Amino acid sequence: MTTGTTESDCLFCRIVAGELPSQRVAETQRVIAFKDIDPKAPVHALVVPRDHYGDVAQVAAADPELLAEMITLADQVAGTLADGQFRLIFNSGPRAGQSVFHVHAHVIAGTQLGWTPA
Ligand code: DGP
């Protein structure tokens, strides 16, 4: 099952549920944002829907308003923790670097960013 659920063996479902600790920086009824455990920039947060979807295409197809809410929360995080400018990254699939299969947007901000994705 990849949509609209909670999965007991999913790391981010467990963070959403509060079973595992995280440093939350923002939240709404349907979305939470917390600091990445291995930050790649001065500001590096993950924006995650509370419901489980495997990747960005799945959430876009099932619930485009939820995807928009994720992006709005990312903008809010960048405005609160940085100067409002940010990069938003959705790794989709292992070869693209996805390691946690609960959709998450990386919010990268707080410095001048380079462009070396590969
Ligand atoms: P990705 O590789 O795109 O699937 O990104 C997964 C991110 O999740 C990666 O940047 C590290 C982060 N991460 C992994 N485990 C944890 C955790 O337990 N807590 C937090 N806050 N972040 C985690």
Side-chain angles (χ1 to χ4, degrees):
M1 183 75 78
T2 55
T3 61
T5 61
T6 298
E7 297 202 347
S8 58
D9 60 349
C10 169
L11 176 66
F12 287 173
C13 285
R14 297 188 68 199
I15 286 177
V16 166
E19 294 172 15
L20 295 174
S22 68
Q23 284 185 270
R24 290 195 190 197
V25 293
E27 57 189 303
T28 67
Q29 211 171 352
R30 298 213 292 164
V31 180
I32 72 169
F34 53 92
K35 291 188 178 179
D36 194 289
I37 202 168
D38 182 22
K40 304 294 191 232
V43 174
H44 185 173
L46 301 173
V47 176
V48 173
R50 294 180 192 270
D51 279 348
H52 183 96
Y53 295 90
D55 62 31
V56 65
Q58 290 177 14
V59 71
D63 193 340
E65 286 184 6
L66 180 56
L67 180 58
E69 193 170 326
M70 291 172 66
I71 293 169
T72 298
L73 198 66
D75 181 53
Q76 186 181 313
V77 166
T80 303
L81 301 183
D83 63 1
Q85 301 179 56
F86 64 98
R87 181 170 296 164
L88 200 60
I89 299 170
F90 291 92
N91 294 326
S92 189
R95 281 206 307 133
Q98 187 175 10
S99 62
V100 179
F101 294 89
H102 179 135
V103 62
H104 49 282
H106 294 259
V107 184
I108 306 287
T111 191
Q112 178 65 49
L113 299 177
W115 184 245
T116 53

